[in-house]
Amino acid sequence: MFLYIKALHIIFVVTWFAGLFYMPRLFIYSAEANEKPEPDRSILLKQNLLMQQRLWNIITTPSAIITLILGLTILHLYGSFPTWLIIKLCFVLGLYVYHLFCHNIYKQQQKYQFKYNSKQLRIINEISTLFLFSIVFLVVVKTNLSWLFGLIGVVVLSILLMLGIKLYATLRKD
């Protein structure tokens, strides 16, 4: 039974991350659409906000809830809390905070309130990537991962992501 629950947990983690990866892209598209002249603005916003609503309510949030339920079930069945698991759970808690942060942006944009520009949203978009790398490495390498190596890896990945955003912005201006 444990392996079936674990497999379902992984499946819903994947669908949750799919939503967390795509939702900020929709935030970016909506923020950019909001800056367009009419009638493009209205047409694009209507479609983007509908896509946001469907993604958030049908895939992302239900997947987050099911992931939590299955994860708690696995914790109960696992029976112990090694150090790597405690650290992973801290990252998972951070991921739920990020989910709630995205939910606030979602609610704002559904009300046609655009508090973040597309550049800020591109940076926000990469936060889930950092969580994914951190969590997967912790789960796979467990105690073989040194704190220093893990921290350096996250910092280097963050720098590379920011450089990628800057490069994209430069290329986009040409």
Side-chain angles (χ1 to χ4, degrees), residues 33-140:
N34 190 52
E35 296 172 359
K36 294 196 177 291
E38 290 296 345
D40 292 349
R41 178 186 180 278
S42 296
I43 294 167
L44 290 170
L45 277 178
K46 181 180 178 185
Q47 183 61 37
N48 286 340
L49 296 178
L50 177 64
M51 290 168 60
Q52 283 182 15
Q53 188 178 44
R54 289 177 178 165
L55 177 64
W56 197 253
N57 294 324
I58 297 171
I59 296 172
T60 310
T61 298
S63 294
I65 293 167
I66 294 169
T67 295
L68 179 63
I69 293 167
L70 293 169
L72 291 172
T73 304
I74 290 170
L75 278 176
H76 174 72
L77 295 173
Y78 200 71
S80 67
F81 291 88
T83 304
W84 70 266
L85 183 58
I86 294 168
I87 297 166
K88 176 207 168 203
L89 292 175
C90 290
F91 279 108
V92 170
L93 178 63
L95 187 61
Y96 277 97
V97 170
Y98 174 72
H99 180 98
L100 293 173
F101 177 72
C102 287
H103 184 72
N104 285 335
I105 296 172
Y106 162 73
K107 288 191 318 189
Q108 290 167 3
Q109 288 196 354
Q110 291 293 309
K111 296 175 187 172
Y112 293 85
Q113 298 171 356
F114 297 90
K115 296 183 179 181
Y116 300 96
N117 63 38
S118 63
K119 185 174 183 178
Q120 292 169 318
L121 290 167
R122 286 180 205 289
I123 294 168
I124 291 167
N125 184 45
E126 300 306 330
I127 294 171
S128 57
T129 303
L130 294 173
F131 278 112
L132 178 67
F133 270 77
S134 301
I135 292 168
V136 169
F137 268 95
L138 275 167
V139 170
V140 173

Side-chain angles (χ1 to χ4, degrees), residues 141-151:
V141 298
K142 295 178 175 58
T143 57
N144 294 326
L145 180 68
S146 74
W147 279 91
L148 182 60
F149 181 73
L151 181 61

